[in-house]
Amino acid sequence: MSPPLEPRGYLTLATGRPAFLEMAVDMALSLRQHTELPIAIACDEALDSPARERYGRVFDAVTRLPERFLGGRTRKYGVAEATPFGETVFLDADCIVLGPLDPLFGSLEQADLAFLGSQLGRDEDHNHHGFSTRWLMERFGLDRYLKTNSGIFAFRKEPALEVMEAFRACHEDELRRRLRWSILLGRWLGDEIAIGVVGGRLGLKPLPFPNTMYWPQEFDAIDLADPAKPLLHFIWPPSEALLEELLDGMRARRAAAGVPGSGEEAWRAEAESLRRMKRRRRLLERVGWW
């Protein structure tokens, strides 16, 4: 028999490279400054033991991500099965929390699953990872498309199980077959495209707090001493000064909590990867592919 679920808490995810676990630790320590709710992490077999043995004081629970979600871009779809909570706010490991996020649980009073983003109609056309949202709607016979950033979302466990299985099936059975050449055009077939397609079909609600996260065009204005938003997700390269300030905060939180290790190398590598992504995107924009 499975243990009873905790009513409410936060969940993050780390699989594959140890760097993801180090970033998850820094994310969780930043989150601890703004919540008293429990924080859990879902891992694969390789990171399960390090998470428990090295970082047991950081996470209230360590769970295992089901095997069928470990391939390709489907990992995040397994968090409903992995969560130990009845109601969960999921956060990507590559986030730093700057303010309270507990109000996001209020979105579950109106919806069982809510993502950061917006429902778009065919009269709107946005770029989503290099895809035209109108083209995706036409391609998959949709009247709506849920354009989202899946770095943060809220869900109730039981209703979300079926929906996330639908995400996985869409990604594996539809998108990989019908959009397999898109990478040649500079597009990115990540987990959010299946969420957009299925979210449009099911009419999933966006989170009612659109200003939760900093977007790329806002990165230059981030002031850590007086943040305007509660979440910094590494979706865009921070300036060198901002990166150093963030790393200083991470070191201080680890020291204060008596947590070993350092995620500095992982965060610096992530920032460099984002700088390369930014350069590629600018090139694609110049040739009209983005």
Side-chain angles (χ1 to χ4, degrees):
M1 181 180 295
S2 300
L5 295 174
E6 291 288 333
R8 181 177 279 185
Y10 291 89
L11 179 69
T12 191
L13 175 65
T15 64
R17 295 190 290 116
F20 295 133
L21 176 57
E22 295 297 334
M23 288 193 288
V25 167
D26 288 316
M27 186 284 293
L29 290 174
S30 71
L31 176 58
R32 288 272 181 214
Q33 296 183 313
H34 303 284
T35 187
E36 295 183 359
L37 292 173
I39 304 171
I41 185 169
C43 299
D44 58 6
E45 183 177 4
L47 297 183
D48 184 281
S49 292
R52 294 176 188 275
E53 297 168 7
R54 187 173 176 82
Y55 296 122
R57 70 175 63 189
V58 176
F59 301 105
D60 298 287
V62 179
T63 68
R64 187 71 66 85
L65 195 71
E67 190 74 25
R68 72 181 185 281
F69 294 104
L70 290 175
R73 295 287 179 178
T74 64
R75 290 171 175 81
K76 205 171 292 184
Y77 309 149
V79 298
E81 194 165 327
T83 187
F85 309 119
E87 295 182 354
T88 302
V89 168
F90 173 84
L91 284 165
D92 266 344
D94 60 340
C95 292
I96 296 297
V97 180
L98 306 176
L101 294 173
D102 287 0
L104 295 179
F105 285 97
S107 64
L108 298 176
E109 296 174 6
Q110 288 81 38
D112 292 322
L113 182 62
F115 284 86
L116 187 68
S118 58
Q119 280 278 7
L120 304 177
R122 290 200 183 191
D123 57 334
E124 303 166 277
D125 191 19
H126 292 216
N127 184 316
H128 198 202
H129 298 305
F131 291 94
S132 156
T133 57
R134 180 180 295 156
W135 182 86
L136 286 169
M137 282 184 265
E138 293 170 351
R139 178 80 165 164
F140 292 95
L142 307 173
D143 294 321
R144 310 289 295 175
Y145 179 86
L146 179 62
K147 184 184 179 186
T148 183
N149 179 287
S150 62
I152 182 169
F153 55 91
F155 64 91
R156 296 183 190 273
K157 182 180 178 76
E158 292 303 321
L161 289 170
E162 183 177 355
V163 176
M164 291 199 178
E165 190 62 42
F167 293 159
R168 189 189 69 82
C170 177
H171 183 87
E172 294 293 297
D173 301 337
E174 295 184 76
L175 302 188
R176 291 182 64 184
R177 174 173 53 86
R178 300 177 66 180
L179 304 179
R180 62 186 180 275
W181 301 114
S182 297
I183 191 172
L184 299 177
L185 299 176
R187 297 166 180 163
W188 185 62
L189 191 56
D191 57 84
E192 292 169 7
I193 304 301
I195 293 170
V197 171
V198 174
R201 287 171 178 163
L202 299 180
L204 296 182
K205 301 290 186 182
L207 285 168
F209 305 97
N211 294 320
T212 298
M213 190 180 83
Y214 282 100
W215 299 104
Q217 65 272 20
E218 300 170 317
F219 267 48
D220 289 343
I222 293 175
D223 179 0
L224 296 182
D226 185 22
K229 296 186 175 185
L231 187 65
L232 196 168
H233 187 191
F234 266 54
I235 57 173
W236 198 248
S239 68
E240 288 294 339
L242 177 59
L243 178 61
E244 294 305 320
E245 192 175 357
L246 287 166
L247 291 171
D248 286 344
M250 294 172 199
R251 286 189 287 265
R253 283 188 289 270
R254 288 204 185 213
V259 173
S262 170
E264 181 171 342
E265 183 178 346
W267 290 103
R268 290 191 185 279
E270 185 70 10
E272 178 55 33
S273 176
L274 288 168
R275 284 190 283 268
R276 292 194 298 270
M277 177 272 293
K278 180 180 177 180
R279 290 193 292 269
R280 287 195 302 271
R281 184 174 298 184
R282 293 292 185 248
L283 176 61
L284 292 171
E285 287 173 348
R286 285 198 293 272
V287 300
W289 284 9
W290 191 276

